[in-house]
Amino acid sequence: MAKQIVLLNGSPRKNGNTELLANAFIKGAKDSGNTVTSFHVGRMKIGGCMDCKYCHSHPGECVQKDDMQEIYNALYRADMLVFASPVYWFGMTAHIKSAIDRMYAASYKEMPITSTALLAVYEDTNTDTIKPTISQYKSMIQYLGWKDCGIITQSEVLNKGDIEGKQSLTDAENLGKSIQ
């Protein structure tokens, strides 16, 4: 059965390594008959959660009326959520983190999401650099009860296009194809 997939790309860079990795996943997912809605949260206007509790009395709504509203609409129809981000200081970007934090409002209205994946790129050659990002991702999905469908990472990519020819692009496309 085809899935409704939402992909959050946390990179502010257009046509960068994160976007290329995300596009490989999207291609595979669409080739398998899935629908993918992609948001470039790194280029959207999304404020951080203000902890105002408006969402407690207005289930699924946030007091802030910014670009996150479009994401909420997609999340309430999604079977799967994919996080794509470059690693900044051992974690996902502030852009994607703001969207994740704002999903707090969505926790007061049921989202049909049951599965997720992580796509991450980083400059360093030290594999310890990616560990905090993976740890945050795993902790988050464990708490939410979501199934991890895969984690694709790529080290040693800094400049646009550095990911070209890397196995991670094939792995991301294959991960997308595996989503049924």
Side-chain angles (χ1 to χ4, degrees):
M1 180 176 203
K3 301 276 186 192
Q4 294 286 331
I5 302 169
V6 170
L7 186 143
L8 301 180
N9 178 347
S11 178
R13 183 188 284 181
K14 290 182 181 181
N15 303 313
N17 296 306
T18 302
E19 191 165 336
L20 294 174
L21 190 61
N23 287 344
F25 173 86
I26 291 167
K27 180 185 181 320
K30 286 183 174 181
D31 286 351
S32 289
N34 299 297
T35 302
V36 181
T37 305
S38 180
F39 295 98
H40 295 275
V41 297
R43 300 191 299 260
M44 296 172 78
K45 299 280 187 212
I46 300 173
C49 177
M50 299 185 313
D51 193 29
C52 66
K53 310 287 191 263
Y54 180 88
C55 58
H56 291 210
S57 59
H58 300 83
E61 292 182 41
C62 181
V63 70
Q64 297 182 73
K65 303 305 178 203
D66 56 13
D67 291 343
M68 191 67 193
Q69 300 309 312
E70 187 179 350
I71 296 172
Y72 288 136
N73 289 333
L75 290 174
Y76 295 134
R77 296 186 316 271
D79 302 301
M80 180 178 192
L81 178 58
V82 179
F83 301 99
S85 182
V87 174
Y88 286 8
W89 285 96
F90 307 97
M92 292 184 237
T93 64
H95 311 288
I96 201 166
K97 185 69 171 74
S98 287
I100 291 168
D101 288 352
R102 291 282 297 284
M103 286 173 57
Y104 179 70
S107 68
Y108 286 88
K109 180 178 176 181
E110 188 174 336
M111 292 182 290
I113 297 167
T114 58
S115 59
T116 187
L118 173 66
L119 309 172
V121 301
Y122 57 106
E123 171 191 3
D124 209 335
T125 58
N126 182 347
T127 56
D128 287 344
T129 301
I130 193 68
K131 287 180 182 178
T133 302
I134 293 171
S135 177
Q136 177 193 15
Y137 165 77
K138 286 183 175 181
S139 295
M140 183 173 53
I141 67 168
Q142 179 184 5
Y143 177 80
L144 294 167
W146 295 342
K147 176 187 169 208
D148 173 32
C149 291
I151 298 171
I152 308 292
T153 66
Q154 180 60 60
S155 63
E156 301 181 59
V157 292
L158 172 63
N159 300 308
K160 282 186 180 183
D162 282 352
I163 200 168
E164 291 290 347
K166 304 277 188 189
Q167 180 63 40
S168 58
L169 292 175
T170 302
D171 294 344
E173 185 173 344
N174 288 338
L175 176 60
K177 287 179 181 177
S178 74
I179 305 304
Q180 302 289 327

